[in-house]
Amino acid sequence: MHTRKRIWNLAVMLGLLSLIIASCGSNAATPTSAPSSTSLDLNNWASIEQAANGQTVNWYIWGGSDSINRFVDEFYGKALKERYNITLNRVPMADTVDVVNQLLSEKEAGKTTGAVDLIWINGENFASLKQANLLRANWGQSLPNSNYVNWANPAVNLDFGEPVESLESPWSSAQFQFIYDSAKLQASELPRSYAALKDYACANPGKVSYIAPGPGAFQGTRFVKQALFEVSGGAEQWLGKFNQQLWDQWSPKLWDYFNQLEACLWREGSTYPKTENELHSLFANGEVDFSITQAIAGAGSLIKENLVPASARAFVFDDNMIGDFNYVAIPSTAPNPAAALVLANLILDPELQAAQILPENGFGLGYGIDPTKVSDPALAAKLTNAAQQLGDAATPASDLAKSLRSDIAAEYQSLIEQGWDANVLRK
Amino acid sequence: MSYRIIVWVLALILLVPIAIFLVYAFAQGWFFPALWPERWDSALFLRQLADPQLRRAFGQSLIIATGVSMLALMFGYPAARVLELQTFRGRGLIYGLFFLPTVVPSVATGIGLNIVFLRLGLAGTLLGVMLVHLIPVLPYVVLTLGSSFARYDRNYEHQAAVLGASPWFVFWRVSVPMLLPSLVVAGVLAFLISWSQYVLSLLIGGGKIITLPMLLFSAASGGNQSLIASLSLIFITPLLLLLGLVARYLGSPATGATPRP
Amino acid sequence: MAKLRRWLGLAPASIIIIGLFGGSLGYGIAQSLGWLPFLGQRQLSLAAYRNVLAGEQLGSQWWQALLFSLWVSLAATLGSALICLGLLSSIAERQQQYRGLSTISNLHLAIPHSVWAMALLLVLSQSGIFARLGFALGWLDQPSDFPVLVRDRWGSGIILAYITKEVPFLLLLGLASLHQQGRDYLLVAQSLGANRWQRVRLVLWPLLAPSLIGGSLLVFSFIFGAYEVPALVGVRYPEMLATMALELFLNPDLQARAEGMAVSLLMSLIILAVIGLAWRWRRAEHQP
């Protein structure tokens, strides 16, 4: 009697579930119609500004930094309202990958008009959205201010090795740097290569760590990638198309380096910080001697936000410091594409570009535009001036230029992440 | 161990996070080995209080959590009543179904719901977020009200009815007063669970609905301790106030409160 | 008529639970079977489950995460249950009213797990408040002298965070069943000559067992499935299943979604199996 009842119950449950699945399935077959927003004419910019008048632009942006939030509200929010009568709705995300999921779900549900107008996007998420065909096409190089962008530069037209193809527009630039505490270390004591870093770590056991490479922690992946450049004797050979042979030749040497380094690391490499902020916190509390940043203002914005001590300074190795650009993208389902285009264009405004690099404004990343392409002498002077006011906490521009390397093919990214996971972390 | 010591230790454990957030919210650049912050600054905390986005998020959280507790009571009351006061075939199955959301991780249900709600046009609306909060909330409300119905004496209702009271009158003047402590506790639990919900709000709100936990989590991803502490304080204060207000109900076993782990 | 009213009463809540919760679960199952319409993939297969359980990299990750999840959930659940039992048995005979204890325990509910984990991090990390106290007292010279309590390989930070959160929760459940007759029974047993251990085993435990075991199962399934605390006070490796599921789910590689769903559904199955087993065991015990 009892078992029969139970079987009956089970049958009811299974029946319900299959009903639900079936009802979901029947809907999914409806084809998604093309987004209605393609009618905007980028050749007639005034018409776009007109269409954007009175709109609200929903900008999904990483919200973990109080100073960046304030920079966005104060500089872009105000300018949008005053110049174009557009309201900025800054949507703070804990992780931009959430936006990718949101867009995927919207697509799956057959929505042609979503919730997201503009995304501050990183290379991984860009590749995902490009793969899923979820980005608005043919606009990045058509913005009026995109004349200031050096599209011929491979660092600009490739995002983490993925061709940009006018699917996004740059916001700012960044370059890998380390941070040290000038109250504890002299500039002359700093390691200037991966080999020297290993020597330093083993002379000061437990005082060095780095961010675990992996999805969402590109800084760690980059740290390992740069070591690959050094152990293989130079970055040039890695440029161009993905080369499996080259990877097979050098990756064992790379894991050798990291396994030798491990014994001298913080907690002997049994654990690694997961994010940049975890490393900042270890550094600020004196647990480790170096942190990692990508900001052109170096430690400046971090000092301003009280994340690191005021005596923090930035430095680079002599070579192999990867630099790149970061972008904003518009989903193909954006409800207010005109306002998103206006904002993307505003971001490239030379005056706002000059404001964004100054550490006191709270953003601190570098120029997305090429200052030499700005012909107006007053604006050009502004950009040059700002670049000279980065303060002590920034790495000298000449050091940055000397060590700058561009990123390499996207395939290496996941090879490094999986290889590090298997050969270093879980070993 | 004596009773008093246990109470004090538990109180201390409760006070530690509040105290530490209070200090961190106003401390500036407070690093090891400093035992006490050298610089204090209330600007960040005050800025959060004045921030329009935070105010809106606070308001929306308040509307959602209040709405959710109302809806949960409206839906949970009849269900708990039927489940406890009647015996019928399938009762165990329904209880089991109501219990499921408490053990199935929200990771497993969150994304699927997102798509269902987008289809229904509920994603990005206050109503949608409230409905989705009901999933983790309802089981606790039904269990809490259910265990109170298990002790419920229906004869009072019958007597009132015999004396000529309308069903509506019986409900408001007999059932509700008798169950009041339990209703209050279930409502507060519902408010609590809804107020703390992050994933479901993020997925269903889709950025159109921004609640306090979303601000808190995005701040947590940035590692700025003062910001995290400020938001944490703003986040837990209403909960502490609310629980403090109904503490006398919560303390009584008659409410049959089924708290959340 | 009575039947109709019964179903009417159940309908609103059932629609939410069965319709919304069941619907999303069904969707998750479909996704784990490789039904990813946004990638144009509509063929069902068990590939995701095969990858997760026996794949080269994912397989080992799964088994390791399963072991770690079991370790953390069991340690935290047993730890909280034992502490709770110990506390209750030490006060049950002397105390008539538990007003203060239950008020404090209730106030603990106001602090969500994530907030609690963040606070714990500030207190217990190697440069946290305790480490600074130790430094001020001259017990340690640098952060690395302080024991690794959070973000460690054994999950002790996660376990600690959960124990401190779940003890008040279990106390509440225990107090409710102790409240009514607990003390009377104990006094009777005492006057009949039962010693302390006998009183705990024969009177207190049977009294508390239903609520404590039920509560512990809730705690276990909650810890097994939650990811906020491990994300905040855990490390990248070893990781818990919930973290693994979410990571796969959020992986920019969209194919990983099916695997993420498979992991979270397998997790749910494990939780349900544990609860089912415990249920059976309880019933078997009660029907000699």
Side-chain angles (χ1 to χ4, degrees), chain A residues 192-251:
Chain A
R192 296 289 181 173
S193 68
Y194 278 88
L197 182 71
K198 192 171 84 186
D199 293 343
Y200 181 94
C202 292
N204 303 277
K207 287 297 206 179
V208 172
S209 192
Y210 57 91
I211 302 157
F218 74 91
Q219 302 94 336
T221 313
R222 202 160 273 187
F223 178 84
V224 176
K225 202 183 276 176
Q226 294 171 162
L228 177 66
F229 294 168
E230 185 172 312
V231 296
S232 65
E236 283 87 5
Q237 54 190 321
W238 296 95
L239 291 174
K241 279 211 161 23
F242 170 67
N243 181 341
Q244 181 76 42
Q245 217 181 345
L246 196 62
W247 168 257
D248 293 340
Q249 183 190 347
W250 290 107
S251 55

Side-chain angles (χ1 to χ4, degrees), chain C residues 24-280:
Chain C
S24 65
L25 206 60
Y27 224 90
I29 293 170
Q31 280 208 332
S32 74
L33 294 172
W35 189 69
L36 303 165
F38 49 85
L39 290 185
Q41 215 170 289
R42 293 216 162 76
Q43 240 168 4
L44 300 188
S45 82
L46 286 170
Y49 289 90
R50 238 189 335 262
N51 281 350
V52 167
L53 294 174
E56 198 182 329
Q57 188 148 10
L58 226 49
S60 69
Q61 204 182 335
W62 154 267
W63 292 110
Q64 161 272 313
L66 175 64
L67 278 181
F68 188 65
S69 285
L70 282 174
W71 151 246
V72 168
S73 330
L74 284 175
T77 309
L78 285 178
S80 345
L82 285 178
I83 291 175
C84 176
L85 192 64
L87 291 179
L88 286 178
S89 59
S90 74
I91 59 171
E93 295 180 356
R94 278 176 276 169
Q95 200 65 25
Q96 267 181 311
Q97 291 283 328
Y98 305 102
R99 207 150 264 275
L101 190 57
S102 67
T103 306
I104 288 289
S105 302
N106 268 310
L107 285 178
H108 270 267
L109 295 180
I111 316 262
H113 284 85
S114 47
V115 172
W116 177 241
M118 288 187 240
L120 212 64
L121 209 57
L122 296 176
V123 180
L124 292 181
S125 76
Q126 284 187 303
S127 49
I129 301 299
F130 282 0
R132 294 177 197 197
L133 269 175
F135 182 88
L137 294 169
W139 293 346
L140 44 93
D141 300 323
Q142 49 183 349
S144 56
D145 296 340
F146 191 78
V148 183
L149 294 175
V150 286
R151 291 186 173 148
D152 65 303
R153 259 196 128 130
W154 292 101
S156 49
I158 309 174
I159 296 173
L160 213 62
Y162 279 127
I163 289 186
T164 40
K165 261 315 269 173
E166 303 314 339
V167 165
F169 164 70
L170 290 176
L171 271 180
L172 279 178
L173 295 183
L175 284 178
S177 39
L178 199 62
H179 208 91
Q180 282 140 335
Q181 312 107 328
R183 190 155 176 269
D184 303 341
Y185 283 137
L186 286 167
L187 290 179
V188 171
Q190 196 170 15
S191 62
L192 289 174
N195 67 28
R196 195 181 158 77
W197 167 242
Q198 283 171 324
R199 292 199 301 273
V200 168
R201 209 177 78 84
L202 297 171
V203 181
L204 202 62
W205 174 244
L207 209 63
L208 292 175
S211 55
L212 271 195
I213 290 179
S216 299
L217 284 174
L218 271 185
V219 168
F220 174 86
S221 41
F222 179 81
I223 298 178
F224 198 83
Y227 63 88
E228 285 107 328
V229 173
L232 286 165
V233 288
V235 292
R236 258 265 317 255
Y237 171 82
E239 66 188 339
M240 286 184 71
L241 282 178
T243 329
M244 180 183 171
L246 203 72
E247 231 165 61
L248 283 170
F249 212 97
L250 298 180
N251 195 309
D253 177 7
L254 304 175
Q255 295 287 353
R257 271 192 159 199
E259 283 149 5
M261 251 315 155
V263 172
S264 50
L265 287 170
L266 287 170
M267 275 167 63
S268 314
L269 278 181
I270 293 170
I271 293 172
L272 288 175
V274 169
I275 287 175
L277 281 177
W279 191 263
R280 283 216 121 160

